[in-house]
Amino acid sequence: MPRLAYVNGRFVPHSAAAVHVEDRGYQFGDGVYEVVTVVQKRFVDLEGHLDRLNRSLGELRIDWPVARNVLEILMRQLLVRNKVSDGIIYLQITRGVAPRDHKFPKSGTPASLVMTTRRVVHERSPNFRKGVKVITIPDIRWLRCDIKSTSLLPNCLGKQEAFEAEAYEAWQVGEDGNITEGTSSNAWILTPEKELITRAPTSEILNGITRLTIIEIAAQQGIKFVERPFSVAEAKAAEEAFTSSATSFVTPVVQIDDTVLSNEPGPLTINLLNSYRQYIERLEATL
Ligand SMILES: Cc1ncc(COP(=O)(O)O)c(C=O)c1O
């Protein structure tokens, strides 16, 4: 049985899955997406991801291609048919297929829905044990980074720069010298005063669903937490740092550019990673 993708109402072999050349996602990046992690048949924060999807669609005035509960059923079907118990599901909704024209197509043009899955055993990553290096780069993105748009060119350029510098991630820096977020993750530091800091969820960052769960865990544990901007200099002087996303959980950062923060992941970071793992274990297995 080949791996399947879901494309506009049909489950098709992944190798043959395709959209129309005039799909607005293909031509304009006119669409939104989500990546939901699956661990031992458990969706991690499915409701949070679908809430954010709803928000992104609303901000761009794209209609849901199917009802939310139908989307959930289709997501489960694709994962089960592809026998994915550990991995990710990617889903993308675009403004649909129409003759190329920047303005929106006429009303009634159905949005396109595409989904793919991939098997990943998240715990196999050595990053959790060793920590990673990040580099800092100018944030050259637009002013609506709160929308999870498929227009990801600056993020791709930044991630490639990180790869070429043998780093895991690039933390983007605004014109004011403060770090906004990674190219596909949120940025966190622990100051020498033991304050856990990450950016507030303004339109300058994507409000990560993992970020929100970590904030809840930190609150339950009585960790001093502040949402505020922090500079590159402050990050380099931090006691600990980490980067978070649905696929990288809590990934310890041990080096920023040429500054080594520590030789191994810090204790608060390890504690938050383990608490996040325990949080996942307590979720209901619904696949
Ligand atoms: C730019 C950006 N920031 C933050 C995140 C983290 O979001 P989440 O925790 O929902 O995966 C992502 C995830 O892809 C991202 O692309």
Side-chain angles (χ1 to χ4, degrees):
M1 189 63 187
R3 177 157 67 118
L4 299 174
Y6 176 91
V7 183
N8 290 326
R10 293 192 308 139
F11 292 95
V12 291
H14 187 269
S15 55
V19 294
H20 195 278
V21 288
E22 289 202 300
D23 190 288
R24 290 180 63 95
Y26 178 62
Q27 290 194 326
F28 296 115
D30 186 2
V32 300
Y33 74 105
E34 282 294 331
V35 177
V36 186
T37 287
V38 176
V39 178
Q40 292 169 3
K41 300 193 175 182
R42 299 170 172 94
F43 274 121
V44 182
D45 292 333
L46 178 62
E47 293 310 315
H49 284 280
L50 294 183
D51 286 348
R52 185 173 63 188
L53 178 67
N54 187 45
R55 179 177 184 282
S56 297
L57 288 169
E59 292 298 309
L60 298 181
R61 294 194 278 150
I62 298 176
D63 291 334
W64 278 78
V66 292
R68 178 169 168 155
N69 62 331
V70 174
L71 180 65
E72 280 194 40
I73 293 167
L74 293 171
M75 290 171 79
R76 284 202 171 79
Q77 281 184 359
L78 187 64
L79 286 160
V80 169
R81 289 177 78 161
N82 284 338
K83 298 191 172 58
V84 177
S85 323
D86 290 86
I88 56 157
I89 182 161
Y90 172 83
L91 69 97
Q92 173 176 307
I93 297 172
T94 73
R95 206 182 299 276
V97 176
R100 189 176 183 281
D101 183 356
H102 288 60
K103 66 183 186 300
F104 296 175
K106 62 178 188 303
S107 68
T109 303
S112 297
L113 170 61
V114 167
M115 292 193 284
T116 54
T117 64
R118 192 191 306 164
R119 284 189 196 153
V120 187
V121 180
H122 303 279
E123 285 300 336
R124 281 209 191 121
S125 166
N127 295 342
F128 297 132
R129 223 173 349 100
K130 294 188 186 159
V132 299
K133 171 184 169 184
V134 301
I135 58 167
T136 57
I137 59 168
D139 193 338
I140 60 169
R141 299 174 302 164
W142 70 330
L143 303 176
R144 291 305 308 273
C145 297
D146 54 313
I147 299 172
K148 198 162 170 69
S149 157
T150 55
S151 304
L152 288 171
L153 193 47
N155 309 57
C156 294
L157 294 174
K159 192 72 106 187
Q160 179 63 20
E161 208 174 319
F163 173 74
E164 287 173 10
E166 294 181 355
Y168 172 76
E169 174 63 300
W171 278 3
Q172 300 165 104
V173 182
E175 279 179 2
D176 60 359
N178 291 318
I179 290 168
T180 50
E181 62 179 334
T183 63
S184 63
S185 60
N186 290 115
W188 304 71
I189 59 168
L190 178 72
T191 66
E193 294 73 38
K194 311 281 183 214
E195 268 183 349
L196 179 63
I197 316 261
T198 197
R199 279 296 276 241
T202 61
S203 57
E204 289 159 318
I205 68 159
L206 182 75
N207 193 1
I209 304 304
T210 319
R211 174 189 179 281
L212 292 171
T213 299
I214 295 167
I215 291 172
E216 260 178 46
I217 292 172
Q220 282 160 12
Q221 300 195 356
I223 295 167
K224 216 186 328 163
F225 168 68
V226 186
E227 277 179 340
R228 66 161 171 85
F230 55 94
S231 67
V232 175
E234 199 176 4
K236 289 183 179 175
E239 268 204 14
E240 297 184 30
F242 63 89
T243 206
S244 70
S245 74
T247 52
S248 67
F249 300 3
V250 173
T251 290
V253 170
V254 292
Q255 183 175 346
I256 303 173
D257 296 325
D258 291 331
T259 304
V260 175
L261 301 187
S262 59
N263 294 323
E264 55 182 16
L268 181 98
T269 305
I270 294 291
N271 165 38
L272 286 174
L273 170 60
N274 287 336
S275 304
Y276 187 69
R277 287 168 165 149
Q278 286 158 13
Y279 163 79
I280 293 175
E281 272 169 29
R282 286 195 298 270
L283 297 171
E284 196 191 346
T286 56
L287 281 183

